[in-house]
Amino acid sequence: MGTEIYFDNNATTRPLPEVVAAMSPFLTEFYGNPSSIHRFGSQVAQKIGEARTQVASLIGAADPIEVVFTSCGTEGDNAAIRGMLEARPDKRHIVTTEVEHPAVLGLCQHLEKRGYRVSWLRVNQDGMLDLEELGRSLTDDTALVSVMHANNETGVLFPIHRIGEIVKAKGIPFHVDAVQVAGKIPLKVAESPVDLLTISGHKFHGPKGIGALYVRRGVPFPPFIIGGHQEKNRRAGTENVAGIVGMGEAAGRMQRNLAQEAEGIRKLRDQLEQGLLQSCPDCRVNGRGSDRLPNTSNVSFRYLEGESILVLLDQFGICASTGSACTAGSSEPSHVLRAMGVAPDWLQGAVRFSLSRFNTAEEVRYVNEKVPLIVQRLQGLSALGKLAEEREKARTGGGIGVRG
Ligand code: PLP
């Protein structure tokens, strides 16, 4: 097989072999329903309990009972927001940000059409929130605040602790979408002013189709999916046992050496960015001025089309993305970059590289070697690119432009 470099880990990650091995018996001999009284059921229920403890430990929850298994991050986000609205039926106002994942953004737009008032917090050019704007937006009518921990497109990290302090000072429930954070940097939800927190198994080398919602003890939480008594009446439906076991295994493995692994990934990411900034004229890193996830780099190539870059990257065996996998296929420029005020000539040429602990320095070198070739080729093809080249030539007196 030729070169295959996977730099799209914010879209999804490769399940660890140990995760697949841990899941397999729960698709074969341990097929019991965990609600059954007999041994087939109880052995499975016990394993779900172990997975709950592993997931609680990954996010730093005080008690495994605070973990509710869901089918994915999108369900966790929906359950948290709809649950809080149902728990506070007299409140009609939601506070969120302009840069959320569609799982929150789309739901809040939908709720807006149903008569809720939504305050959409803006971000600055570095992708950062204005905490004073947040403070001003909270009213007696605010049902909840929902803010992502890390942006899936740029990796920009919001200061969740400080946001939580502002929100909790007003007694308002606070939900955090931590789908891009769990397994990438350490989390200590028990020590944070957070009521609800969403994560998803496939973002940290677990299986797809399984997620979890942290619900702090004592927070009233009407169920989103109603039916049987599973998950202590908080999420009905026969459990995705193999998925839960796989997510638990991934949670257990990813928290080992998490801080150290994150530093290794950060070095690779920085190497990638430095290489691209030096070798590609008219290239910039979006959100570079903010605290970011260690694995994510969102790079704009001026005047170019991100999708054309992706096609050529794929020909070299390099897999990246233009932004959120959930918005891929739409020709609309990224709502995140637009909210950051990225100018039109930089907007279409954004490419997201997202790394994992399985990437290597050799892979980064390969990408750093191939991207400038792709950029040159596309600039040659693009009339606008030609214009940019001429401008660059005029600026540098004919030499090749280098950006530090
Ligand atoms: N929230 C964020 C920040 C995400 O990045 C994603 C997925 O990309 C989701 C929510 C949705 O998670 P899932 O794919 O498990 O539904």
Side-chain angles (χ1 to χ4, degrees):
M1 207 192 285
T3 305
E4 255 181 17
I5 295 180
Y6 188 73
F7 275 11
D8 198 12
N9 287 278
N10 285 9
T12 197
T13 55
R14 179 186 193 138
L16 296 172
E18 295 88 347
V19 164
V20 178
M23 290 171 72
S24 171
F26 293 88
L27 295 165
T28 51
E29 69 254 50
F30 299 117
Y31 54 81
N33 185 324
S35 298
S36 301
I37 302 292
H38 51 66
R39 69 190 63 184
F40 273 86
S42 55
Q43 61 203 6
V44 170
Q46 188 191 332
K47 193 68 188 175
I48 290 180
E50 285 170 27
R52 201 182 304 281
T53 303
Q54 288 166 313
V55 170
S57 170
L58 177 71
I59 61 174
D63 188 339
I65 201 66
E66 296 173 312
V67 171
V68 180
F69 286 111
T70 61
S71 67
C72 59
T74 302
E75 185 192 319
D77 286 341
N78 273 256
I81 294 171
R82 288 190 180 274
M84 286 308 98
L85 293 178
E86 198 173 327
R88 295 158 66 85
D90 52 320
K91 313 275 183 202
R92 304 291 294 172
H93 176 226
I94 302 165
V95 176
T96 188
T97 82
E98 284 188 343
V99 295
E100 296 300 307
H101 183 273
V104 169
L105 193 89
L107 174 61
C108 290
Q109 285 168 341
H110 170 81
L111 291 166
E112 214 169 21
K113 286 190 202 128
R114 298 287 157 109
Y116 285 92
R117 192 167 69 81
V118 180
S119 292
W120 299 97
L121 302 178
R122 289 164 303 177
V123 295
N124 67 14
Q125 60 182 20
D126 293 320
M128 192 43 62
L129 285 179
D130 173 353
L131 298 190
E132 283 179 13
E133 190 191 3
L134 165 70
R136 284 194 302 274
S137 72
L138 305 175
T139 73
D140 289 344
D141 193 37
T142 308
L144 85 148
V145 174
S146 181
V147 166
M148 68 200 324
H149 193 169
N151 189 273
N152 46 300
E153 295 190 27
T154 60
V156 168
L157 285 160
F158 286 152
I160 287 309
H161 206 94
R162 283 170 57 210
I163 295 171
E165 281 170 352
I166 296 169
V167 175
K168 297 311 298 171
K170 301 263 183 181
I172 298 167
F174 182 35
H175 167 245
V176 173
D177 175 346
V179 166
Q180 288 295 345
V181 173
K184 291 186 181 140
I185 53 174
L187 272 170
K188 289 197 178 123
V189 71
E191 294 164 26
S192 308
V194 169
D195 296 307
L196 301 123
L197 179 132
T198 303
I199 66 170
S200 177
H202 72 104
K203 304 290 186 180
F204 56 91
H205 304 284
K208 291 167 190 61
I210 185 73
L213 178 64
Y214 162 86
V215 183
R216 185 178 288 276
R217 215 179 234 283
V219 171
F221 179 69
F224 173 53
I225 296 183
I226 297 168
H229 298 300
Q230 292 90 351
E231 297 295 287
K232 298 230 176 300
N233 292 316
R234 294 170 300 178
R235 200 273 186 186
T238 301
E239 297 84 343
N240 170 3
V241 176
I244 290 172
V245 171
M247 185 176 178
E249 184 70 26
R253 291 189 176 269
M254 293 307 285
Q255 56 186 300
R256 294 183 201 159
N257 302 326
L258 183 50
Q260 211 179 318
E261 292 283 355
E263 270 325 292
I265 297 170
R266 185 189 301 279
K267 277 196 191 125
L268 291 182
R269 192 274 312 268
D270 290 350
Q271 230 172 293
L272 174 74
E273 287 184 350
Q274 276 156 22
L276 296 180
L277 289 171
Q278 275 166 18
S279 57
C280 301
D282 276 337
C283 128
R284 57 174 261 178
V285 176
N286 298 309
R288 203 175 182 213
S290 291
D291 250 5
R292 283 181 297 155
L293 283 175
N295 80 317
T296 308
S297 185
N298 187 304
V299 185
S300 276
F301 300 92
R302 199 175 187 186
Y303 301 125
L304 300 187
E305 286 275 344
E307 287 183 9
S308 312
I309 300 173
L310 290 190
V311 170
L312 295 184
L313 281 171
D314 195 34
Q315 286 175 7
F316 283 118
I318 302 163
C319 303
S321 109
T322 49
S324 163
C326 303
T327 49
S330 88
S331 56
E332 281 286 296
S334 149
H335 70 285
V336 175
L337 299 184
R338 263 186 312 180
M340 289 164 70
V342 172
D345 44 350
W346 294 96
L347 208 50
Q348 295 286 1
V351 176
R352 178 185 71 184
F353 299 97
S354 49
L355 281 62
S356 80
R357 59 175 70 183
F358 301 110
N359 293 121
T360 64
E362 200 184 322
E363 290 178 332
V364 169
R365 274 195 295 277
Y366 179 84
V367 175
N368 278 341
E369 188 189 301
K370 300 301 177 201
V371 173
L373 303 180
I374 292 171
V375 169
Q376 268 171 20
R377 188 165 150 200
L378 290 173
Q379 280 177 336
L381 289 174
S382 142
L384 283 170
K386 282 217 175 82
L387 200 74
E389 232 171 60
E390 270 159 29
R391 276 203 206 139
E392 187 64 20
K393 268 190 207 147
R395 193 177 69 77
T396 60
I400 295 167
V402 173
R403 210 161 191 275

